[in-house]
Amino acid sequence: MTENPSSFSSLPLLPGQNEPPPAHESRPVDQEVVLEEKEKKNVDSFLRLSWYCARILFLSEFILFGAAGNFVFLVYAGAAPKSVECVGDNITIADICKIPLKERSSFNCTLQPHYEFRSLNVEFEYFCEEAATVKSAISFQMLGVLVGTLFWGHFADAKGRKLALIICFTAAMLLSVVNAAVNSLFTFTVVRTVQAFFNGGALIVYGVYMLEHLPRKHRFLISSLIAWSPNYILFTLLAWFSGDWRTCQLVIVAVSLPAFPAFFFVYESPRWLIQKGRIDEARVVLEKMQAIDGVSQTKREEMQAMIEEEHQKAIDREQRAKSYNVTHLFRHAEMAIVTTILSLGVLLTSLISYGLIFNLETLSGSLFLNSIFLGMLRWSLNIVTGIADFKIKRAGRKAVHTIGQGVVALGLVMLAWTHYNGKSEGMSEVMRISTLLSAAFISQTQISKGMLAMEYFPTVIRNSAVSFKTVFSRIGAVLAPQIFLLPIPFLPYAILAALALVDTIAFLVFVPETKGRPLPESMPENKNNKLTTNSIPSESPQV
């Protein structure tokens, strides 16, 4: 499952965030000019990790838990029972699902499912092959997430972050309550698909809203703390406490309730207000933020000058961006290759991540313990990767991706081999470890792809590139529940392993390293359908 930090890494550059000039525009400057530039104020100059930021983080955590919890909820709501015992007058079969379908009709017995969590499968009696019906319902719900992500992302840009969050979060929670009362899988799917439309919006908008309030130097750290992995662990504990899908759905709503009063204590993003030309409102919000933080009031003239300058920058970027669209991602040879590799790679990582997570119930051991182990492992990897990125200059996007995807490919090869040789039962622990490692390391490939996309594409088409990539990610989420329903057990793992290997090589060979490179502003010149190296980052110099 997609980590929250990775979602941050794929967000468009925020208004007011100063961007270094591309390599071809850099020029020597004297000491006085450098000092003058350092003294210039921007929105970041008025952001502090203090009391108002604490309000934003409080709200963000409960929104994330509610939205991500409704997503992870499907892991448990769609979990098939561990076994289905068949008990009759003269016969007892430990697991009838292991008996060929044609032979089952000859047994006159009562089915008794054994499970850790009372899922939809258990309540509505979707056993054995019929469990695929529940997986298909999950795929249909992912379409709601896809549409919601695109619609609410645009709505938040046009009407405001806070308004979009209030609408999406309120609707998602209300529909969650309705969902807990449905009496069929069909009704569940319909309600959840509409709920997913709003839930997908809450997930995409909350990340932008929180990031726009964080001081620049604290963004990665905070993004690692308020993230999917720790909430995944928390949700697993609550799912274990709930015991069944109806109670679990209501528990998600109950735990998320503090977000509603928190909305009254936060304001609209000042960055968004500046971008929209609502200068007076932006000034008032910034002054209120400083008052809450106990900071002495900044001179109105200084703040007004900063706001006007940042607004003009936003206008300039918007005017330049209007001349470009998604088609420009494919008008230069190198950029077209990178766009294709990133987009297909994101689809693949989404397939692997969601496919493995939505099938955790098939592993040996407890579903809850496996989920906790997975959450802890992913969170640990995020922290280690973050430290390595900060401390080790050679630990770039390509190195992290190669290591992460390499481990994933090996894990999938091991899973394919065990199924191919019919040793899936005798090597249950090997399969368990391989699955958990693959599901954990895939998060690192997602993060590296997101970061590289942000750093590679020029500002004028960065939004288009991120949106294009997000569509492929959501398509992967739609297809993921179906990939492991193929009739040949080893085939899904073998296909994904081969694709992971191809993606690793393509990313390593054709995608340039971007760590430490200046963000490109403009499109490169088209010469003989080849990219120049002036605007697009190339390999980082060895340090």
Side-chain angles (χ1 to χ4, degrees), residues 71-229:
F71 212 98
V72 182
F73 164 77
L74 296 173
V75 174
Y76 300 93
K82 285 288 186 181
S83 62
V84 181
E85 187 176 11
C86 183
V87 180
D89 294 334
N90 301 314
I91 188 173
T92 298
I93 301 175
D95 189 359
I96 197 171
C97 293
K98 294 181 179 180
I99 304 296
L101 181 60
K102 295 181 179 179
E103 301 178 16
R104 294 177 198 165
S105 58
S106 62
F107 299 109
N108 183 19
C109 55
T110 302
L111 300 181
Q112 298 180 359
H114 294 272
Y115 55 88
E116 295 178 275
F117 185 86
R118 185 174 174 81
S119 62
L120 293 160
N121 306 59
V122 175
E123 180 171 335
F124 299 131
E125 298 185 351
Y126 287 92
F127 303 143
C128 305
E129 290 81 8
E130 291 183 346
T133 306
V134 180
K135 300 299 183 184
S136 297
I138 293 175
S139 289
F140 195 81
Q141 293 169 49
M142 292 300 102
L143 290 174
V145 176
L146 170 60
V147 177
T149 299
L150 298 175
F151 175 84
W152 290 108
H154 175 75
F155 182 94
D157 285 340
K159 303 298 183 181
R161 321 297 196 206
K162 184 180 175 182
L163 177 61
L165 275 178
I166 292 174
I167 295 174
C168 289
F169 191 73
T170 302
M173 293 300 105
L174 288 176
L175 287 169
S176 294
V177 175
V178 173
N179 182 66
V182 301
N183 55 12
S184 69
L185 179 62
F186 175 78
T187 310
F188 173 89
T189 304
V190 172
V191 175
R192 284 285 305 188
T193 301
V194 179
Q195 193 264 4
F197 171 77
F198 294 100
N199 202 56
L203 276 175
I204 193 68
V205 177
Y206 111 90
V208 178
Y209 184 72
M210 184 177 81
L211 201 65
E212 288 184 343
H213 287 88
L214 292 179
R216 186 179 303 175
K217 65 180 180 180
H218 295 105
R219 285 175 187 164
F220 192 91
L221 175 62
I222 298 299
S223 300
S224 298
L225 296 176
I226 300 180
W228 277 75
S229 294

Side-chain angles (χ1 to χ4, degrees), residues 70 73 176 179-180 192 245-253:
N70 265 304
F73 164 77
S176 294
N179 182 66
R192 284 285 305 188
W245 70 270
R246 294 182 188 273
T247 304
C248 186
Q249 183 73 94
L250 295 176
V251 166
I252 294 173
V253 177

Side-chain angles (χ1 to χ4, degrees), residues 2 37 48 181 242 260 263 336 394 449 500:
T2 305
E37 289 295 323
R48 294 172 177 81
S242 301
F260 289 104
F263 278 118
R394 291 181 180 271
K449 281 184 168 74

Side-chain angles (χ1 to χ4, degrees), residues 76 231-241 367-368 371-372:
Y76 300 93
N231 280 283
Y232 189 89
I233 297 171
L234 175 60
F235 181 82
T236 297
L237 295 174
L238 292 177
W240 171 81
F241 173 78
L367 170 62
F368 299 109
S371 296
I372 290 175

